[in-house]
mmCIF file of all heavy atoms in Angstrom:
data_model
loop_
_atom_site.group_PDB
_atom_site.id
_atom_site.type_symbol
_atom_site.label_atom_id
_atom_site.label_comp_id
_atom_site.label_asym_id
_atom_site.label_seq_id
_atom_site.Cartn_x
_atom_site.Cartn_y
_atom_site.Cartn_z
ATOM 1 N N LYS A 210 145.458 120.767 67.298
ATOM 2 C CA LYS A 210 144.371 121.404 68.013
ATOM 3 C C LYS A 210 143.051 120.949 67.420
ATOM 4 O O LYS A 210 142.860 120.990 66.206
ATOM 5 C CB LYS A 210 144.495 122.929 67.927
ATOM 6 C CG LYS A 210 143.589 123.656 68.898
ATOM 7 C CD LYS A 210 143.909 125.131 68.934
ATOM 8 C CE LYS A 210 143.044 125.829 69.972
ATOM 9 N NZ LYS A 210 143.327 127.276 70.054
ATOM 10 N N TYR A 211 142.171 120.473 68.277
ATOM 11 C CA TYR A 211 140.898 119.940 67.825
ATOM 12 C C TYR A 211 139.801 120.979 68.007
ATOM 13 O O TYR A 211 139.458 121.353 69.126
ATOM 14 C CB TYR A 211 140.548 118.662 68.615
ATOM 15 C CG TYR A 211 141.502 117.526 68.355
ATOM 16 C CD1 TYR A 211 142.656 117.384 69.119
ATOM 17 C CD2 TYR A 211 141.260 116.620 67.337
ATOM 18 C CE1 TYR A 211 143.547 116.357 68.875
ATOM 19 C CE2 TYR A 211 142.145 115.577 67.082
ATOM 20 C CZ TYR A 211 143.283 115.450 67.856
ATOM 21 O OH TYR A 211 144.162 114.438 67.608
ATOM 22 N N GLU A 212 139.298 121.441 66.871
ATOM 23 C CA GLU A 212 138.203 122.395 66.891
ATOM 24 C C GLU A 212 137.159 121.974 65.868
ATOM 25 O O GLU A 212 137.500 121.488 64.785
ATOM 26 C CB GLU A 212 138.691 123.812 66.570
ATOM 27 C CG GLU A 212 139.558 124.418 67.660
ATOM 28 C CD GLU A 212 139.942 125.852 67.342
ATOM 29 O OE1 GLU A 212 139.624 126.304 66.223
ATOM 30 O OE2 GLU A 212 140.554 126.504 68.205
ATOM 31 N N CYS A 213 135.932 122.156 66.223
ATOM 32 C CA CYS A 213 134.839 121.810 65.310
ATOM 33 C C CYS A 213 134.474 123.021 64.458
ATOM 34 O O CYS A 213 134.395 124.145 64.969
ATOM 35 C CB CYS A 213 133.610 121.353 66.103
ATOM 36 S SG CYS A 213 133.867 119.811 67.000
ATOM 37 N N SER A 214 134.255 122.778 63.174
ATOM 38 C CA SER A 214 133.810 123.854 62.292
ATOM 39 C C SER A 214 132.338 124.155 62.551
ATOM 40 O O SER A 214 131.626 123.397 63.220
ATOM 41 C CB SER A 214 133.997 123.439 60.829
ATOM 42 O OG SER A 214 133.178 122.320 60.524
ATOM 43 N N HIS A 215 131.904 125.287 62.007
ATOM 44 C CA HIS A 215 130.506 125.677 62.178
ATOM 45 C C HIS A 215 129.581 124.657 61.539
ATOM 46 O O HIS A 215 128.499 124.349 62.068
ATOM 47 C CB HIS A 215 130.285 127.057 61.548
ATOM 48 C CG HIS A 215 128.913 127.610 61.809
ATOM 49 N ND1 HIS A 215 127.830 127.331 60.993
ATOM 50 C CD2 HIS A 215 128.440 128.418 62.807
ATOM 51 C CE1 HIS A 215 126.759 127.929 61.456
ATOM 52 N NE2 HIS A 215 127.097 128.611 62.571
ATOM 53 N N GLU A 216 129.989 124.082 60.384
ATOM 54 C CA GLU A 216 129.163 123.083 59.705
ATOM 55 C C GLU A 216 129.045 121.799 60.524
ATOM 56 O O GLU A 216 128.003 121.132 60.526
ATOM 57 C CB GLU A 216 129.744 122.765 58.319
ATOM 58 C CG GLU A 216 129.600 123.887 57.308
ATOM 59 C CD GLU A 216 130.601 125.005 57.552
ATOM 60 O OE1 GLU A 216 131.554 124.784 58.332
ATOM 61 O OE2 GLU A 216 130.421 126.099 56.984
ATOM 62 N N GLU A 217 130.144 121.433 61.248
ATOM 63 C CA GLU A 217 130.084 120.236 62.080
ATOM 64 C C GLU A 217 129.217 120.436 63.323
ATOM 65 O O GLU A 217 128.528 119.522 63.766
ATOM 66 C CB GLU A 217 131.495 119.821 62.508
ATOM 67 C CG GLU A 217 132.336 119.295 61.360
ATOM 68 C CD GLU A 217 133.773 119.053 61.772
ATOM 69 O OE1 GLU A 217 134.295 119.815 62.615
ATOM 70 O OE2 GLU A 217 134.367 118.081 61.259
ATOM 71 N N LEU A 218 129.287 121.663 63.861
ATOM 72 C CA LEU A 218 128.473 121.947 65.045
ATOM 73 C C LEU A 218 127.005 122.076 64.704
ATOM 74 O O LEU A 218 126.132 121.632 65.450
ATOM 75 C CB LEU A 218 128.966 123.240 65.716
ATOM 76 C CG LEU A 218 130.297 123.145 66.458
ATOM 77 C CD1 LEU A 218 130.737 124.533 66.894
ATOM 78 C CD2 LEU A 218 130.186 122.235 67.676
ATOM 79 N N PHE A 219 126.719 122.712 63.558
ATOM 80 C CA PHE A 219 125.332 122.955 63.154
ATOM 81 C C PHE A 219 125.116 122.428 61.739
ATOM 82 O O PHE A 219 125.033 123.197 60.774
ATOM 83 C CB PHE A 219 124.999 124.450 63.223
ATOM 84 C CG PHE A 219 125.289 125.073 64.550
ATOM 85 C CD1 PHE A 219 126.452 125.817 64.745
ATOM 86 C CD2 PHE A 219 124.422 124.888 65.607
ATOM 87 C CE1 PHE A 219 126.728 126.386 65.970
ATOM 88 C CE2 PHE A 219 124.687 125.464 66.837
ATOM 89 C CZ PHE A 219 125.846 126.206 67.031
ATOM 90 N N PRO A 220 125.057 121.106 61.569
ATOM 91 C CA PRO A 220 124.870 120.541 60.232
ATOM 92 C C PRO A 220 123.500 120.898 59.672
ATOM 93 O O PRO A 220 122.502 120.907 60.396
ATOM 94 C CB PRO A 220 124.999 119.030 60.466
ATOM 95 C CG PRO A 220 124.663 118.836 61.904
ATOM 96 C CD PRO A 220 125.122 120.075 62.604
ATOM 97 N N VAL A 221 123.484 121.235 58.387
ATOM 98 C CA VAL A 221 122.226 121.586 57.715
ATOM 99 C C VAL A 221 121.663 120.322 57.089
ATOM 100 O O VAL A 221 122.298 119.732 56.210
ATOM 101 C CB VAL A 221 122.454 122.670 56.645
ATOM 102 C CG1 VAL A 221 121.137 123.004 55.950
ATOM 103 C CG2 VAL A 221 123.075 123.906 57.269
ATOM 104 N N PRO A 222 120.491 119.892 57.505
ATOM 105 C CA PRO A 222 119.923 118.666 56.920
ATOM 106 C C PRO A 222 119.510 118.889 55.472
ATOM 107 O O PRO A 222 119.070 119.970 55.090
ATOM 108 C CB PRO A 222 118.706 118.386 57.818
ATOM 109 C CG PRO A 222 118.339 119.718 58.384
ATOM 110 C CD PRO A 222 119.631 120.480 58.525
ATOM 111 N N GLU A 223 119.665 117.855 54.683
ATOM 112 C CA GLU A 223 119.261 117.928 53.282
ATOM 113 C C GLU A 223 117.736 117.969 53.201
ATOM 114 O O GLU A 223 117.051 117.287 53.951
ATOM 115 C CB GLU A 223 119.782 116.722 52.518
ATOM 116 C CG GLU A 223 121.295 116.709 52.413
ATOM 117 C CD GLU A 223 121.754 115.528 51.574
ATOM 118 O OE1 GLU A 223 120.876 114.803 51.060
ATOM 119 O OE2 GLU A 223 122.978 115.344 51.439
ATOM 120 N N PRO A 224 117.206 118.789 52.297
ATOM 121 C CA PRO A 224 115.740 118.851 52.175
ATOM 122 C C PRO A 224 115.168 117.522 51.710
ATOM 123 O O PRO A 224 115.747 116.847 50.858
ATOM 124 C CB PRO A 224 115.519 119.946 51.124
ATOM 125 C CG PRO A 224 116.808 120.038 50.378
ATOM 126 C CD PRO A 224 117.895 119.682 51.346
ATOM 127 N N GLU A 225 114.051 117.156 52.310
ATOM 128 C CA GLU A 225 113.422 115.885 51.945
ATOM 129 C C GLU A 225 112.769 116.012 50.577
ATOM 130 O O GLU A 225 112.106 117.002 50.270
ATOM 131 C CB GLU A 225 112.381 115.508 53.000
ATOM 132 C CG GLU A 225 112.987 115.223 54.363
ATOM 133 C CD GLU A 225 111.924 114.780 55.345
ATOM 134 O OE1 GLU A 225 110.741 114.713 54.934
ATOM 135 O OE2 GLU A 225 112.275 114.499 56.505
ATOM 136 N N LYS A 226 112.937 114.972 49.791
ATOM 137 C CA LYS A 226 112.342 114.949 48.454
ATOM 138 C C LYS A 226 110.951 114.361 48.522
ATOM 139 O O LYS A 226 110.690 113.443 49.294
ATOM 140 C CB LYS A 226 113.192 114.115 47.502
ATOM 141 C CG LYS A 226 114.572 114.707 47.251
ATOM 142 C CD LYS A 226 115.342 113.844 46.309
ATOM 143 C CE LYS A 226 116.740 114.421 46.017
ATOM 144 N NZ LYS A 226 117.478 113.559 45.086
ATOM 145 N N SER A 227 110.078 114.946 47.709
ATOM 146 C CA SER A 227 108.728 114.387 47.640
ATOM 147 C C SER A 227 108.745 113.097 46.840
ATOM 148 O O SER A 227 109.735 112.762 46.184
ATOM 149 C CB SER A 227 107.781 115.397 46.987
ATOM 150 O OG SER A 227 108.182 115.631 45.646
ATOM 151 N N LYS A 228 107.650 112.377 46.921
ATOM 152 C CA LYS A 228 107.576 111.089 46.227
ATOM 153 C C LYS A 228 107.698 111.265 44.719
ATOM 154 O O LYS A 228 108.348 110.483 44.034
ATOM 155 C CB LYS A 228 106.241 110.421 46.571
ATOM 156 C CG LYS A 228 106.140 108.992 46.070
ATOM 157 C CD LYS A 228 104.859 108.344 46.576
ATOM 158 C CE LYS A 228 104.771 106.909 46.046
ATOM 159 N NZ LYS A 228 103.517 106.253 46.489
ATOM 160 N N GLY A 229 107.097 112.318 44.185
ATOM 161 C CA GLY A 229 107.170 112.560 42.740
ATOM 162 C C GLY A 229 108.584 112.873 42.303
ATOM 163 O O GLY A 229 109.040 112.415 41.258
ATOM 164 N N GLU A 230 109.315 113.653 43.121
ATOM 165 C CA GLU A 230 110.695 113.992 42.783
ATOM 166 C C GLU A 230 111.590 112.768 42.817
ATOM 167 O O GLU A 230 112.484 112.611 41.995
ATOM 168 C CB GLU A 230 111.224 115.060 43.746
ATOM 169 C CG GLU A 230 110.580 116.423 43.558
ATOM 170 C CD GLU A 230 111.088 117.424 44.582
ATOM 171 O OE1 GLU A 230 111.721 116.984 45.558
ATOM 172 O OE2 GLU A 230 110.835 118.627 44.403
ATOM 173 N N GLU A 231 111.324 111.851 43.812
ATOM 174 C CA GLU A 231 112.122 110.632 43.883
ATOM 175 C C GLU A 231 111.904 109.769 42.643
ATOM 176 O O GLU A 231 112.853 109.231 42.074
ATOM 177 C CB GLU A 231 111.748 109.858 45.151
ATOM 178 C CG GLU A 231 112.229 110.528 46.429
ATOM 179 C CD GLU A 231 111.811 109.737 47.652
ATOM 180 O OE1 GLU A 231 111.100 108.725 47.471
ATOM 181 O OE2 GLU A 231 112.185 110.135 48.770
ATOM 182 N N GLU A 232 110.633 109.648 42.187
ATOM 183 C CA GLU A 232 110.347 108.844 40.993
ATOM 184 C C GLU A 232 110.975 109.480 39.767
ATOM 185 O O GLU A 232 111.515 108.793 38.890
ATOM 186 C CB GLU A 232 108.831 108.726 40.820
ATOM 187 C CG GLU A 232 108.169 107.880 41.900
ATOM 188 C CD GLU A 232 106.668 107.848 41.737
ATOM 189 O OE1 GLU A 232 106.166 108.573 40.859
ATOM 190 O OE2 GLU A 232 106.000 107.101 42.491
ATOM 191 N N LEU A 233 110.917 110.827 39.713
ATOM 192 C CA LEU A 233 111.494 111.530 38.565
ATOM 193 C C LEU A 233 113.006 111.334 38.501
ATOM 194 O O LEU A 233 113.579 111.102 37.440
ATOM 195 C CB LEU A 233 111.149 113.017 38.654
ATOM 196 C CG LEU A 233 111.643 113.897 37.504
ATOM 197 C CD1 LEU A 233 110.992 113.438 36.187
ATOM 198 C CD2 LEU A 233 111.310 115.356 37.776
ATOM 199 N N SER A 234 113.660 111.420 39.644
ATOM 200 C CA SER A 234 115.111 111.259 39.654
ATOM 201 C C SER A 234 115.504 109.839 39.278
ATOM 202 O O SER A 234 116.511 109.619 38.602
ATOM 203 C CB SER A 234 115.663 111.606 41.044
ATOM 204 O OG SER A 234 115.084 110.756 42.020
ATOM 205 N N GLU A 235 114.695 108.841 39.686
ATOM 206 C CA GLU A 235 114.989 107.455 39.318
ATOM 207 C C GLU A 235 114.838 107.261 37.810
ATOM 208 O O GLU A 235 115.658 106.585 37.163
ATOM 209 C CB GLU A 235 114.046 106.518 40.075
ATOM 210 C CG GLU A 235 114.370 106.420 41.566
ATOM 211 C CD GLU A 235 113.371 105.540 42.278
ATOM 212 O OE1 GLU A 235 112.465 105.012 41.594
ATOM 213 O OE2 GLU A 235 113.489 105.379 43.510
ATOM 214 N N ASP A 236 113.785 107.876 37.195
ATOM 215 C CA ASP A 236 113.593 107.764 35.740
ATOM 216 C C ASP A 236 114.736 108.437 34.995
ATOM 217 O O ASP A 236 115.231 107.920 33.979
ATOM 218 C CB ASP A 236 112.262 108.427 35.344
ATOM 219 C CG ASP A 236 111.077 107.633 35.890
ATOM 220 O OD1 ASP A 236 111.267 106.437 36.226
ATOM 221 O OD2 ASP A 236 109.984 108.228 35.999
ATOM 222 N N ALA A 237 115.174 109.589 35.524
ATOM 223 C CA ALA A 237 116.278 110.286 34.873
ATOM 224 C C ALA A 237 117.553 109.463 34.934
ATOM 225 O O ALA A 237 118.339 109.417 33.975
ATOM 226 C CB ALA A 237 116.496 111.656 35.540
ATOM 227 N N LEU A 238 117.783 108.786 36.044
ATOM 228 C CA LEU A 238 118.974 107.950 36.190
ATOM 229 C C LEU A 238 118.919 106.768 35.230
ATOM 230 O O LEU A 238 119.923 106.397 34.606
ATOM 231 C CB LEU A 238 119.076 107.473 37.645
ATOM 232 C CG LEU A 238 120.306 106.643 37.995
ATOM 233 C CD1 LEU A 238 121.576 107.456 37.765
ATOM 234 C CD2 LEU A 238 120.247 106.162 39.439
ATOM 235 N N LEU A 239 117.729 106.171 35.054
ATOM 236 C CA LEU A 239 117.597 105.048 34.129
ATOM 237 C C LEU A 239 117.826 105.503 32.686
ATOM 238 O O LEU A 239 118.514 104.821 31.897
ATOM 239 C CB LEU A 239 116.198 104.435 34.264
ATOM 240 C CG LEU A 239 115.935 103.628 35.550
ATOM 241 C CD1 LEU A 239 114.462 103.246 35.624
ATOM 242 C CD2 LEU A 239 116.801 102.366 35.549
ATOM 243 N N ASN A 240 117.273 106.664 32.288
ATOM 244 C CA ASN A 240 117.470 107.191 30.934
ATOM 245 C C ASN A 240 118.941 107.478 30.677
ATOM 246 O O ASN A 240 119.459 107.204 29.591
ATOM 247 C CB ASN A 240 116.638 108.464 30.739
ATOM 248 C CG ASN A 240 115.147 108.165 30.761
ATOM 249 O OD1 ASN A 240 114.737 107.051 30.442
ATOM 250 N ND2 ASN A 240 114.340 109.158 31.130
ATOM 251 N N PHE A 241 119.631 108.033 31.692
ATOM 252 C CA PHE A 241 121.042 108.347 31.534
ATOM 253 C C PHE A 241 121.866 107.072 31.345
ATOM 254 O O PHE A 241 122.768 107.006 30.499
ATOM 255 C CB PHE A 241 121.532 109.125 32.766
ATOM 256 C CG PHE A 241 122.986 109.472 32.708
ATOM 257 C CD1 PHE A 241 123.423 110.494 31.879
ATOM 258 C CD2 PHE A 241 123.902 108.742 33.439
ATOM 259 C CE1 PHE A 241 124.773 110.794 31.832
ATOM 260 C CE2 PHE A 241 125.245 109.035 33.375
ATOM 261 C CZ PHE A 241 125.682 110.081 32.574
ATOM 262 N N SER A 242 121.513 106.027 32.114
ATOM 263 C CA SER A 242 122.264 104.768 31.993
ATOM 264 C C SER A 242 122.010 104.106 30.641
ATOM 265 O O SER A 242 122.911 103.518 30.029
ATOM 266 C CB SER A 242 121.885 103.814 33.111
ATOM 267 O OG SER A 242 120.503 103.530 33.078
ATOM 268 N N GLU A 243 120.775 104.224 30.066
ATOM 269 C CA GLU A 243 120.471 103.641 28.764
ATOM 270 C C GLU A 243 121.265 104.354 27.672
ATOM 271 O O GLU A 243 121.783 103.757 26.727
ATOM 272 C CB GLU A 243 118.964 103.762 28.494
ATOM 273 C CG GLU A 243 118.158 102.783 29.336
ATOM 274 C CD GLU A 243 116.687 102.984 29.149
ATOM 275 O OE1 GLU A 243 116.294 103.883 28.349
ATOM 276 O OE2 GLU A 243 115.874 102.233 29.779
ATOM 277 N N LYS A 244 121.371 105.713 27.783
ATOM 278 C CA LYS A 244 122.142 106.475 26.800
ATOM 279 C C LYS A 244 123.610 106.101 26.842
ATOM 280 O O LYS A 244 124.275 105.996 25.814
ATOM 281 C CB LYS A 244 121.980 107.960 27.058
ATOM 282 C CG LYS A 244 120.593 108.501 26.705
ATOM 283 C CD LYS A 244 120.496 109.966 27.010
ATOM 284 C CE LYS A 244 119.093 110.501 26.688
ATOM 285 N NZ LYS A 244 118.967 111.928 26.995
#
Side-chain angles (χ1 to χ4, degrees):
K210 193 171 183 179
Y211 295 88
E212 291 184 354
C213 294
S214 64
H215 186 273
E216 289 76 14
E217 291 173 326
L218 287 172
F219 306 100
V221 179
E223 293 183 3
E225 295 183 0
K226 295 180 179 180
S227 64
K228 188 174 179 181
E230 290 177 347
E231 289 179 357
E232 291 177 354
L233 182 62
S234 59
E235 288 177 1
D236 292 341
L238 183 61
L239 288 173
N240 293 334
F241 179 75
S242 59
E243 286 175 1
K244 289 179 181 179

